[in-house]
Amino acid sequence: MADSRRRTIIPLLPAQRLPSPAGTGVRFSSPPPLALYIHVPWCVQKCPYCDFNSHALRLGDFHSHGSNERGTAAIPESDYLAALIGDLESALPLVWGRRVDSIFFGGGTPSLLSGEAVDELLAALRSRLPLLPSAEITLEANPGTVESGKFAAFRAAGVNRLSLGIQSFNAKHLKALGRIHDDHDARRAIGMAASHFDNFNLDLMYGLPEQTLAEALADLDTALSYAPAHLSCYQLTIEANTAFAARPPVLPDADACADMQDGIEAKLAAAGYRHYETSAFAQAGHQCQHNLNYWQFGDYLGIGAGAHSKLTLHDRVLRQMRWKRPEQYLAQAAAGQPVQEEFAVDAADLPFEFMLNALRLIDGFDASLFESRTARSLFSIENQLRQAEDDGLIERHRQHIAPSDRGRRFLNQLLQRFLVERA
Amino acid sequence: MPMQHIRNFSIIAHIDHGKSTLADRIIHLCGGLSDREMEAQVLDSMDIERERGITIKAQTAALQYRARSGKIYNLNLIDTPGHVDFSYEVSRSLSACEGALLVVDASQGVEAQTVANCYTAIELGVDVLPVLNKIDLPSAMPDQARQEIEDVIGIDASEAILASAKTGLGVEDILEAIIERIPPPKGDPDAPLKALLVDAWFDNYVGVVMLVRVFDGTLRPKDRIRLMASGSTHLCEQVGVFTPKAVPRDALRAGEVGYVISGIKELQAAKVGDTLTLLERPAADALPGFKEIKSQVFAGLYPVESNQYDGLRESLEKLKLNDASLRYEPEVSQALGFGFRCGFLGLLHMEIVQERLEREFDQDLITTAPTVVYEVLLRDGSLLNVENPAKLPELSKIEEIREPIITITVFVPQEYLGNVITLCNQKRGNQVDMTYHGRQVQLVYEMPMAEVVMDFFDRLKSVSRGYASLDYEFKAYRAADVVKLDVLINGDRVDALSVILHRTNSIYRGRELAAKMRELIPRQMYDVAIQAAIGANIIARENVKAMRKDVLAKCYGGDISRKRKLLEKQKAGKKRMKQVGSVEIPQEAFLAVLRVGK
């Protein structure tokens, strides 16, 4: 065929909708707020319900670092510190120029770190990334591994919020959960936390093996007696690949757990705590900024072994995971290759991912938040929204969407409606 | 081949007594297949049949055998379907033969179906040669088995051949006995054509393939043929024999067995038992014994998702190509939407169809409880056949409801006799006869077919530890005091759950059914009320309490892929359920009625 007879085909789609080779066909005008997560992957011992990336310290694991009074090995602190800083530096190009609004030391057991190590790390972060002056900086602590001096040092280093994994004040239940602390340790730790931090969180669990409603509420009463700024109350869930999954304990039935949840919510409301997320309650002004960022589908850079990141670039949402096993992470970070997995989220999956987070918020979200975080119009999920509204699972007021009381309780059923079927 | 050198025979045997193995041995010995081709038991061609150890698609093999006398014989082995639902097909296969091998497991003795098929053979004038198989097993008791054959079937078993199909022992003796003791076929190759349609199936390339036994006359390609019962005419395109591979021949003559291809597109046009004759020179009368197949058991088949309706229809169409006994017509259920009411020869036939739809055609099905056909005499004198309980007219219009009664024959070892009698009594059976034959007892009962359809097979198996065997035949329609039991979900009658039951156990069954449904329906976001009702009377009520919450306790920035998978799994689980109103009902709940009354 002669060249002259060829027609030029002009694409009808606007150019910006054509995906770049690595992009996923979306276009973000501005990135969301950024949070920093630092993972400390060690614990004195692994709890049977825990499915986080944590590894029990065994005597002799890291001989050069000596051992503490419990007879367990200390963590390889200086190596890990160096790895975290190297990790951060290799990640800088992805978050260049962006401000960090909150920092969270999670684990594992971050309170195994020394005060000096936290200080050194925070200094290194401040020198490499702009940090919001009022940034919330949280550190998780295990009531079984705290000393007053250490809390003072954390505070001095800049940590301004402490989160204590109390779980229960009942010695029997703490034992069933495989915790290394008992009820005395729990009370002592809270006392210490309160003397150094005005802003602290207590984690409580309910639906524990053979727990009664009265016992669950007694735990809550004890917690409330310390007037924590924030409380997280979780129902114990048996997760895959945990000791509990292999040998399931006898748990209260679903109705008993629902009774506990009702009782807990009522008690907390009466005590002046706002229920703002599925399992989170706070006094006025003390919602956890770092976690709110997750639930508002903000960005986060996670450094440390097995840490996950979600980063919005101009044309895609990137998810990353750092090398999971601590030894491997140390080696890979030293080699400048801390990332084990990385992929761009399929644009079609962004609405579901947004909902998975944002519908956990009791107050819900504005349409504009959905649109800026997913680069999609809310209209793209109008069918699901209308159906959910008809079924009484969400409430809509103008441009605002929030789960109804029913939607909150049956969140899984609500979220399923936003799943995109894969071919 | 002269007729004196032809022998036509079948094998009668109980499932697992070694019919397929023996058939394979015989084919192998006659050089029909190579060792490699022998690997699979060739006569059982479909997976499902192989798993269940039965053969429903009759195939045949025309074999060349050089006898000890040195003469060459043509042995036509005609396979017979091996299940109780296919007794008519068995009778047609047997009537194509002059002889049949009665294969009995020497360690187990005779079984009900074998006996029934044997009686059929004797009635048809077919010579029966007893063979005691599995003689190599230490548990073999040939004398006792011989005695049972004589007692129960009433034929001389003194010359029964001892054999082991597994090792090959005695197989040649069997072939020699076929030649010596089974008469050659009779018939006139020059008379008007009379050929019995023994079996037919659909081939994607040539259309319907008919397996025929020529009694009189000769059939050649280009002959115009007429099927005497259906009245249709066709052009004969090809004739041939199976060795068991298909080999074309120039003609099929009186006494021979082979296949005919004549461009028939639909299996319904080639009815088993029909007579083929020539259009130009027709036979005066058809061969005796033809019957229209009637469905005995009906059930509704519905797609789990309504958008799979077309897929289900196409699958049924394809299945029907190869299963002339399957009936279906579109049906609309208020609860289940569009689907099909399907008719089956019996329960096993229904299970096979269901399984093939699910496995071969990948259909997700909701099957309603199987039902028999009730004859309903209305006050205005008209007679109605009801094959769907939901369609039973109002009681005020009904004069009488009649249910099908069948005669069942059970063979059971003495130690389980008590259990079986108890079961038969529970199932409203009336004992007609009880005879002791050595180790076994033969029980004959008259029983409502509806009771057999419910769960009789499974329970007979379990109360006899699998040792009882069963055969049945239709006896008559009899007036019965039956009622319709409805199930209401959240106050709405679910038509697909209605069942017809005898009044005496309807209340008990209704209560059990509601309780069983409560177990099967998972907790949902709302309370689910399950009621059983007879007419306007609610006889049972159960409640599936709403679950109180369904939410993931923790979700932070970490690995969301696991949370996603969990939600996907939950969603997939719901998809396998049928949405009736706002209630999700799992597939098995529609068959819950089969699981009560134990």
Side-chain angles (χ1 to χ4, degrees):
Chain A
M1 189 184 292
D3 273 357
S4 60
R5 292 187 60 192
R6 280 203 189 136
R7 283 186 291 169
T8 310
I9 294 166
I10 301 162
L12 290 171
L13 293 171
Q16 64 181 22
R17 296 210 26 209
L18 296 175
S20 65
T24 52
V26 286
R27 190 117 195 133
F28 291 91
S29 48
S30 63
L34 176 68
L36 179 69
Y37 176 79
I38 300 155
H39 192 76
V40 179
W42 294 284
C43 284
V44 172
Q45 114 193 353
K46 177 101 184 165
C47 299
Y49 58 86
C50 173
D51 69 331
F52 290 154
N53 184 33
S54 64
H55 304 268
L57 287 167
R58 280 162 302 171
L59 200 61
D61 267 3
F62 305 102
H63 4 197
S64 57
H65 301 280
S67 64
N68 64 18
E69 72 278 9
R70 281 183 182 267
T72 52
I75 62 172
E77 189 172 272
S78 56
D79 290 352
Y80 197 63
L81 218 58
L84 287 172
I85 293 167
D87 185 349
L88 175 71
E89 291 201 326
S90 69
L92 286 178
L94 281 174
V95 294
W96 205 250
R98 291 176 65 181
R99 189 186 68 194
V100 171
D101 288 0
S102 65
I103 298 175
F104 197 103
F105 289 84
T109 308
S111 54
L112 288 173
L113 292 174
S114 66
E116 299 76 43
V118 172
D119 186 53
E120 203 181 315
L121 198 53
L122 286 174
L125 298 173
R126 282 192 198 93
S127 67
R128 286 167 178 81
L129 277 168
L131 184 64
L132 181 73
S134 61
E136 175 192 275
I137 302 176
T138 307
L139 184 139
E140 283 185 332
N142 183 325
T145 62
V146 297
E147 312 142 39
S148 183
K150 223 180 196 182
F151 277 3
F154 290 153
R155 185 75 188 89
V159 173
N160 52 26
R161 185 174 182 270
L162 201 74
S163 178
L164 278 173
I166 299 293
Q167 320 310 1
S168 172
F169 293 98
N170 184 316
K172 177 181 74 182
H173 293 139
L174 286 169
K175 201 162 171 227
L177 289 176
R179 300 294 298 191
I180 59 167
H181 69 277
D182 61 16
D183 50 322
H184 300 292
D185 293 335
R187 291 166 197 274
R188 196 176 62 101
I190 301 172
M192 262 189 259
S195 66
H196 296 285
F197 295 90
D198 52 352
N199 189 7
F200 65 90
N201 165 65
L202 302 182
D203 275 353
L204 283 185
M205 292 173 94
Y206 65 91
L208 304 179
E210 293 170 42
Q211 191 182 37
T212 64
L213 173 62
E215 287 170 331
L217 293 178
D219 273 351
L220 183 59
D221 280 332
T222 309
L224 285 172
S225 71
Y226 295 98
H230 193 283
L231 264 162
S232 300
C233 298
Y234 308 104
Q235 182 181 335
L236 171 63
T237 312
I238 306 299
E239 304 284 355
N241 309 317
T242 60
F244 273 176
R247 285 175 303 279
V250 180
L251 298 179
D253 67 26
D255 286 346
C257 290
D259 286 341
M260 291 179 196
Q261 186 185 343
D262 287 351
I264 288 166
E265 288 180 6
K267 206 176 254 298
L268 283 166
Y273 287 80
R274 272 289 321 274
H275 187 189
Y276 72 100
E277 183 264 354
T278 307
S279 304
F281 304 80
Q283 291 186 356
H286 286 95
Q287 296 185 352
C288 177
Q289 298 305 308
H290 185 84
N291 289 340
L292 263 181
N293 182 60
Y294 292 136
W295 298 323
Q296 290 169 343
F297 209 50
D299 276 5
Y300 46 94
L301 172 65
I303 59 171
H308 290 256
S309 303
K310 176 218 159 213
L311 297 167
T312 304
L313 309 185
H314 72 287
D315 62 349
R316 77 198 100 149
V317 171
L318 200 64
R319 285 195 178 276
Q320 289 184 333
M321 189 188 78
R322 273 21 184 192
W323 286 90
K324 220 168 166 181
R325 295 206 61 81
E327 316 84 80
Q328 239 175 337
Y329 171 76
L330 286 169
Q332 293 287 337
Q337 303 286 339
V339 177
Q340 183 179 359
E341 274 175 31
E342 175 178 299
F343 64 94
V345 179
D346 194 327
D349 286 336
L350 287 171
F352 164 75
E353 291 200 358
F354 178 89
M355 293 297 176
L356 177 67
N357 288 285
L359 284 172
R360 298 181 71 82
L361 294 169
I362 309 301
D363 286 343
F365 56 91
D366 282 327
S368 59
L369 188 78
F370 175 89
E371 289 175 356
S372 70
R373 299 291 148 90
T374 65
R376 300 194 132 216
S377 152
L378 197 60
F379 194 72
S380 65
I381 52 165
E382 177 56 26
N383 282 344
Q384 291 99 307
L385 289 174
R386 188 185 306 128
Q387 189 75 53
E389 190 178 20
D390 290 347
D391 294 343
L393 294 170
I394 60 166
E395 284 159 5
R396 293 203 274 186
H397 298 289
R398 293 164 199 249
Q399 289 297 298
H400 191 83
I401 293 169
S404 67
D405 183 56
R406 172 171 287 277
R408 214 158 52 67
R409 287 177 177 273
F410 296 102
L411 189 57
N412 287 355
Q413 314 242 349
L414 173 55
L415 293 175
Q416 282 163 31
R417 296 160 181 241
F418 298 100
L419 280 169
V420 177
E421 306 233 356
R422 284 157 203 263
Chain B
M1 171 119 9
M3 250 189 277
Q4 289 71 24
H5 286 187
I6 297 176
R7 297 292 183 277
N8 297 314
F9 72 104
S10 282
I11 303 175
I12 298 171
H14 187 71
I15 299 159
D16 294 336
H17 281 202
K19 183 171 84 168
S20 299
T21 319
L22 181 60
D24 289 354
R25 276 284 167 198
I26 290 173
I27 292 168
H28 191 47
L29 205 72
C30 297
L33 288 174
S34 68
D35 284 335
R36 192 177 53 78
E37 289 168 315
M38 285 299 296
E39 271 173 25
Q41 289 189 353
V42 289
L43 289 185
D44 285 358
S45 59
M46 283 189 290
D47 279 354
I48 294 168
E49 288 170 24
R50 195 168 304 141
E51 275 170 35
R52 288 170 183 262
I54 58 160
T55 308
I56 55 169
K57 175 103 290 190
Q59 286 182 326
T60 192
L63 305 165
Q64 300 284 320
Y65 175 63
R66 181 185 292 275
R68 285 175 188 149
S69 66
K71 286 183 192 147
I72 293 183
Y73 286 85
N74 179 3
L75 305 184
N76 292 316
L77 166 60
I78 297 167
D79 198 13
T80 54
H83 190 268
V84 64
D85 288 348
F86 300 90
S87 52
Y88 172 69
E89 285 78 354
V90 172
S91 78
R92 295 306 85 204
S93 291
L94 287 172
S95 61
C97 305
E98 281 73 32
L101 301 176
L102 166 64
V103 178
V104 173
D105 184 330
S107 67
Q108 292 194 40
V110 295
E111 314 253 353
Q113 227 189 297
T114 321
V115 175
N117 290 344
C118 224
Y119 285 156
T120 306
I122 293 165
E123 275 168 35
L124 292 167
V126 173
D127 283 351
V128 177
L129 303 190
V131 173
L132 299 178
N133 193 24
K134 305 201 187 178
I135 207 76
D136 56 314
L137 293 183
S139 56
M141 290 186 283
D143 291 338
Q144 245 173 316
R146 217 177 263 134
Q147 191 61 45
E148 273 181 32
I149 293 173
E150 299 200 342
D151 267 14
V152 181
I153 302 170
I155 56 171
D156 179 10
S158 60
E159 285 182 80
I161 302 156
L162 302 183
S164 166
K166 204 172 107 202
T167 64
L169 178 81
V171 177
E172 233 184 274
D173 295 338
I174 294 173
L175 292 176
E176 290 295 325
I178 288 170
I179 289 160
E180 281 163 31
R181 287 157 60 187
I182 294 177
K186 291 190 218 94
D188 180 357
D190 300 318
L193 179 70
K194 260 190 199 182
L196 175 69
L197 206 167
V198 177
D199 191 15
W201 58 91
F202 189 83
D203 181 281
N204 284 334
Y205 296 99
V206 299
V208 172
V209 179
M210 294 181 282
L211 178 68
V212 302
R213 156 71 200 273
V214 182
F215 280 89
D216 279 321
T218 302
L219 176 61
R220 292 186 178 81
K222 308 244 165 68
D223 284 343
R224 291 188 62 77
I225 54 170
R226 196 163 83 89
L227 286 158
M228 296 179 79
S230 69
S232 59
T233 58
H234 309 273
L235 179 71
C236 177
E237 291 169 2
Q238 193 190 109
V239 298
V241 296
F242 295 108
T243 67
K245 288 171 279 192
V247 179
R249 290 278 160 86
D250 62 343
L252 289 178
R253 295 176 180 84
E256 293 183 329
V257 174
Y259 67 83
V260 178
I261 295 166
S262 63
I264 300 177
K265 296 285 182 289
E266 287 186 334
L267 206 50
Q268 292 92 291
K271 291 176 175 147
V272 169
D274 205 342
T275 303
L276 276 73
T277 192
L278 293 182
L279 192 63
E280 273 82 37
R281 198 179 152 223
D285 329 289
L287 292 160
F290 174 76
K291 271 201 291 194
E292 287 279 354
I293 299 171
K294 258 170 74 182
S295 302
Q296 308 280 344
V297 173
F298 285 82
L301 296 187
Y302 290 83
V304 173
E305 283 188 86
S306 52
N307 61 10
Q308 296 164 346
Y309 175 80
D310 287 336
L312 178 56
R313 196 192 52 229
E314 280 165 31
S315 305
L316 280 167
E317 276 166 13
K318 279 186 199 150
L319 206 56
K320 175 122 183 93
L321 287 179
N322 250 326
D323 184 351
S325 44
L326 172 66
R327 301 262 178 282
Y328 66 89
E329 55 184 64
E331 174 180 80
V332 186
S333 153
Q334 280 171 345
L336 300 179
F338 291 99
F340 298 91
R341 176 115 310 232
C342 300
F344 309 96
L345 293 178
L347 258 201
L348 182 101
H349 183 215
M350 168 174 147
E351 277 176 35
I352 289 169
V353 168
Q354 219 176 315
E355 240 176 279
R356 290 190 64 190
L357 285 170
E358 281 169 357
R359 273 205 232 171
E360 290 172 36
F361 296 95
D362 204 22
Q363 298 293 309
D364 258 343
L365 293 178
I366 303 273
T367 309
T368 66
T371 177
V372 297
V373 183
Y374 291 88
E375 276 185 9
V376 180
L377 179 65
L378 298 174
R379 290 255 152 94
D380 65 11
S382 60
L383 198 63
L384 194 70
N385 280 338
V386 173
E387 54 203 41
N388 179 351
K391 301 253 168 77
L392 193 70
E394 275 174 51
L395 282 181
S396 60
K397 291 186 183 159
I398 296 175
E399 182 68 37
E400 183 177 274
I401 302 177
R402 298 169 190 155
E403 65 174 344
I405 305 291
I406 54 176
T407 305
I408 67 161
T409 305
V410 177
F411 274 75
V412 62
Q414 282 184 33
E415 58 258 53
Y416 305 111
L417 181 63
N419 293 350
V420 173
I421 288 178
T422 307
L423 174 65
C424 290
N425 290 340
Q426 279 171 11
K427 294 292 187 181
R428 296 195 283 137
N430 281 327
Q431 200 181 87
V432 175
D433 191 23
M434 178 163 78
T435 338
Y436 285 74
H437 301 288
R439 290 167 290 183
Q440 299 212 82
V441 183
Q442 178 182 4
L443 283 171
V444 181
Y445 272 80
E446 279 180 16
M447 196 180 277
M449 189 176 179
E451 297 288 344
V452 177
V453 160
M454 280 297 182
D455 58 353
F456 188 73
F457 290 122
D458 289 345
R459 295 195 51 203
L460 183 64
K461 256 189 245 161
S462 81
V463 301
S464 69
R465 299 198 173 193
Y467 282 110
S469 59
L470 172 81
D471 190 71
Y472 69 83
E473 62 180 341
F474 175 75
K475 167 98 184 160
Y477 269 94
R478 273 187 208 150
D481 189 12
V482 294
V483 293
K484 183 167 66 128
L485 179 82
D486 292 322
V487 175
L488 290 76
I489 302 278
N490 283 350
D492 294 327
R493 195 179 71 101
V494 178
D495 53 4
L497 287 169
S498 296
V499 283
I500 293 175
L501 296 171
H502 197 258
R503 191 184 298 278
T504 50
N505 54 22
S506 58
I507 292 187
Y508 169 73
R509 283 256 176 117
R511 287 190 185 140
E512 277 213 316
L513 176 59
K516 184 53 101 185
M517 299 276 299
R518 190 200 55 209
E519 277 173 39
L520 293 172
I521 296 177
R523 294 177 73 176
Q524 340 218 326
M525 282 201 285
Y526 304 88
D527 279 349
V528 178
I530 303 160
Q531 292 166 302
I534 294 172
N537 296 329
I538 303 290
I539 57 163
R541 184 192 161 106
E542 297 280 348
N543 195 22
V544 180
K545 268 178 63 192
M547 62 175 159
R548 306 255 307 266
K549 59 173 187 163
D550 177 16
V551 55
L552 301 169
K554 288 191 180 192
C555 181
Y556 298 106
D559 186 4
I560 74 142
S561 64
R562 273 167 59 187
K563 303 207 159 41
R564 180 191 183 107
K565 268 186 204 137
L566 191 130
L567 293 169
E568 278 171 344
K569 215 172 134 190
Q570 279 193 346
K571 189 176 183 180
K574 271 204 276 187
K575 268 192 129 175
R576 282 192 298 272
M577 293 195 267
K578 188 81 194 178
Q579 181 109 19
V580 176
S582 62
V583 182
E584 275 143 4
I585 302 182
Q587 283 158 289
E588 60 269 26
F590 290 94
L591 289 172
V593 69
L594 299 187
R595 294 167 58 179
V596 303
K598 302 200 172 176

